[in-house]
């Protein structure tokens, strides 16, 4: 059986409810914390390191919740939400590959912000390349990523780490 290589907003929401990859699969956040509208490309052997890649998008609407509350009279998307979206996508990739458990961000080696997302932007594009996949006692993905707004790169992250845990009680 071949895996889907793109996903709609409805399918991403289904992932948040454990209805896409199975009840024990890593979930995406739901509602406002889901920072992705669609996955336009996902594969297990592409990208710079030949271990997989994922490209996803978020449509920008000036009415998005964070524009009204991040800075008074200075509406901007919080940088932490773009970074979180990148972690969300690493966890999504692991679930797509069949990992089971709860996804948790484990860290990032380096983050650079060189721009911002303002309410008049149209689209954010996330591009991740998987550097390493670990499927042993610990399931983990490590990726490098960029975030673009309307075609201009504004964030980059190296060594995004996400672990998948079957028991988070001692985490």
């Amino acid at each position: 059986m071949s895996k889907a290589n793109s996903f709609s907003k409805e399918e991403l929401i289904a992932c948040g409810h454990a209805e896409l990859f199975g009840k024990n699969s890593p979930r995406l956040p739901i509602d406002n914390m889901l920072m992705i509208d669609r996955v336009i490309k996902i594969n297990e052997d592409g990208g710079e390191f030949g271990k997989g890649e994922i490209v996803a998008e978020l449509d920008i609407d000036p009415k998005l919740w964070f524009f009204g509350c991040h800075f008074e009279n200075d509406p901007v998307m919080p940088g932490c939400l773009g970074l979180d979206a990148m972690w969300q996508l690493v966890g999504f990739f692991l679930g797509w590959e069949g990992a089971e458990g709860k996804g948790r961000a484990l860290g990032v080696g380096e983050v650079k912000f060189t721009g911002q997302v303002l309410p008049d932007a149209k689209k954010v594009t996330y591009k991740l390349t998987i550097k390493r996949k670990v499927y042993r006692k610990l399931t983990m993905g490590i990726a490098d990523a960029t975030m673009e707004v309307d075609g201009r790169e504004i964030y980059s992250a190296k060594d995004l780490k996400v672990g998948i845990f079957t028991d988070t009680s001692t985490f």
Side-chain angles (χ1 to χ4, degrees):
M1 181 173 94
S2 65
K3 296 185 244 184
N5 60 11
S6 63
F7 295 89
S8 67
K9 177 77 173 221
E10 292 74 25
E11 290 168 313
L12 299 176
I13 292 168
C15 181
H17 295 291
E19 298 167 351
L20 185 63
F21 302 129
K23 67 177 183 147
N24 295 322
S25 65
R27 297 179 184 198
L28 285 169
I30 57 171
D31 299 326
N32 285 339
M33 285 307 296
L34 179 60
M35 300 307 301
I36 307 154
D37 283 326
R38 70 198 139 272
V39 171
I40 60 171
K41 177 175 158 182
I42 186 170
N43 61 61
E44 56 195 10
D45 56 5
E48 180 182 351
F49 306 100
K51 297 180 188 269
E53 65 185 332
I54 185 167
V55 179
E57 297 175 334
L58 172 68
D59 296 324
I60 299 301
D61 180 328
K63 295 179 189 137
L64 284 168
W65 66 274
F66 47 78
F67 287 127
C69 64
H70 187 44
F71 295 121
E72 187 175 20
N73 298 317
D74 184 14
V76 62
M77 178 179 171
C80 60
L81 293 180
L83 181 60
D84 193 70
M86 295 176 191
W87 277 316
Q88 290 175 22
L89 288 164
V90 176
F92 183 83
F93 180 89
L94 294 170
W96 176 78
E97 282 211 322
E100 292 190 346
K102 297 176 181 179
R104 298 292 186 263
L106 297 177
V108 60
E110 175 182 291
V111 178
K112 291 183 182 178
F113 298 107
T114 57
Q116 58 188 344
V117 180
L118 299 174
D120 63 349
K122 300 298 179 215
K123 181 173 61 177
V124 166
T125 304
Y126 309 101
K127 297 179 180 179
L128 285 78
T129 183
I130 305 300
K131 293 176 81 171
R132 186 165 179 222
K133 301 181 273 190
V134 177
Y135 289 102
R136 292 193 280 274
K137 184 176 180 182
L138 168 69
T139 298
M140 182 172 64
I142 302 172
D144 288 349
T146 60
M147 181 175 139
E148 299 174 355
V149 62
D150 297 334
R152 184 173 78 88
E153 183 178 311
I154 61 164
Y155 300 179
S156 64
K158 300 273 186 205
D159 297 324
L160 291 152
K161 295 179 182 90
V162 172
I164 307 297
F165 299 88
T166 55
D167 180 7
T168 59
S169 64
T170 60
F171 185 72

